[in-house]
DNA sequence: GTGGTCTAGACCACT
DNA sequence: GTGGTCTAGACCACC
């Protein structure tokens, strides 16, 4: 798993996993109320230590997207309001990163909106 | 330089460097016609093997953003039309990635343009 | 029954049991004059060694809350005055612990009484 | 560290530690802005694995009572408003536990306040 | 089988 | 030296 990497941003694995699952929830790929794979199972699938997976889950729980039923397993929250809230926060971050990126390339705000309009329109 | 990798997609270092310099050219941080540091110098600055740096330069030359003048060194192209072309290709990629990302989060194209307009407007 | 202990203070099991039964008597959950389960029976219920249970009973007898009638078994005392006395001692300990706890948190006596009044009043 | 314990409430070690440090902060035994011992040092003092201590600290950080300065160490927050907020939450819990305890002993709310007044007054 | 906790030991980056 | 992260492996309670 050790490779020459993005070099500045060494995002912890548990955060990457957390982000990934978060997006699956946001996008609806994981439905509210649905069961999540067990720690051990997902850990194996993703080739990661169960503790690492455990931590990712713990963080997701803390953010209110998951909840644990002690012996039954973990489930996506049914609190769609919370999901939506996270969805909007995430979108805002994505947009913010995008706009910053474009500004660094030397584009003006007007150009950015114009190009986005054009791109989403034509395709 | 060894770090935990992005854990799924590991972009080669020479591409990361290439991308970085490309953006400096596009944004004007590196001016058309200006001299570029030597392979060795930049390699040392970025803590990278000179061969890696060499390859990044080679690719940038192939894309027409750099050219070598035997004995004198490497220079940013003065072909601003070419720079602009690359700038627009790059922008298109950035936008494409962004839009895909938003679509995967479950946003509609209309929402995307609306949110971008909103973001660039208010801030 | 083996669990990670309170990590500093480990109260002996027989005392925990004693305390528990004492409270049942004080609160009236066990009525004066009523029969108590046998050592063996209770020991099994609580998953504890009969010797431990025996010791708990012995202590309760010493404090006058239980008495043994040869062949017939053990009974809760009918001496309600004694029960009341223990009840008040216990209360005093509970209160003492509570007040100490609050003092250690940096609250003044005046604050403590005020907060208790407030809490018992509003809820 | 394994001992016969409180048997129902097996509070995780990291929570016990967290609680302990929280109280030290609340009571002023640890001053706002003051440095906290290193993970390794405290772990050794408390005879606990560094990872366990790490977790306790992480939780305290999440609750806003601690913050990390990457290589310099950990410090108590200087946000006294936050500390006060936690102090009041904690007090409320302590009071709530106490009152419940007394109610289970069969005391009435009026008695409880009377006894507390008496206790704090006379001593 | 599930999640939760703990330990021991390792490596990293930063100073 | 500091904190942060990860792994491997263990044990527990609950079902």
């Amino acid at each position: 798993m050790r490779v020459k990497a993005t070099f500045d941003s060494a995002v912890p694995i548990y955060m990457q996993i957390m982000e990934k699952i978060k997006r699956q929830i946001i996008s609806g790929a994981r439905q509210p109320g649905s069961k999540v794979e067990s720690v051990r199972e997902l850990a194996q699938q993703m080739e990661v230590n169960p503790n690492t997976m455990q931590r990712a889950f713990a963080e997701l729980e803390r953010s209110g997207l998951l909840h644990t039923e002690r012996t039954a397993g973990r489930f996506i929250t049914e609190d769609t309001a919370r999901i939506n809230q996270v969805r909007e926060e995430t979108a805002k971050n994505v947009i913010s990163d995008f706009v910053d990126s474009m500004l660094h390339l030397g584009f003006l705000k007007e150009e950015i909106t114009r190009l986005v309009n054009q791109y989403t329109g034509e395709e």
Side-chain angles (χ1 to χ4, degrees), chain A residues 75-92:
Chain A
F75 299 84
I76 309 291
T77 184
E78 298 183 358
D79 180 353
T80 52
R82 178 69 190 127
I83 292 177
N84 258 315
Q85 194 180 348
V86 173
R87 184 170 173 266
E88 276 167 30
E89 281 167 16
T90 306
K92 197 171 172 185

Side-chain angles (χ1 to χ4, degrees), chain A residues 11-60:
Chain A
V11 182
I13 296 182
Y14 76 85
M15 278 196 177
Q16 296 181 41
I17 293 173
M18 194 186 136
E19 195 67 21
K20 186 172 184 174
I21 297 179
K22 191 181 81 177
R23 289 183 174 232
Q24 292 173 340
I25 297 172
I26 289 172
S27 70
R30 289 185 186 270
Q31 286 293 321
S34 67
K35 194 168 186 313
V36 177
E37 298 90 326
S38 81
V39 170
R40 289 159 172 86
E41 191 181 340
L42 252 190
Q44 204 168 14
Q45 275 183 34
M46 294 198 177
E47 296 182 332
V48 154
N49 184 288
N51 283 322
T52 305
M53 191 55 70
Q54 179 79 20
R55 178 155 188 195
F57 277 169
E59 301 279 344
L60 284 165

Side-chain angles (χ1 to χ4, degrees), chain A residues 104-118:
Chain A
H104 278 117
L105 285 178
F107 290 87
L108 303 175
K109 288 184 174 181
E110 296 73 35
E111 286 182 278
I112 297 173
T113 55
R114 185 174 56 73
L115 288 167
V116 170
N117 290 345
Q118 180 183 321

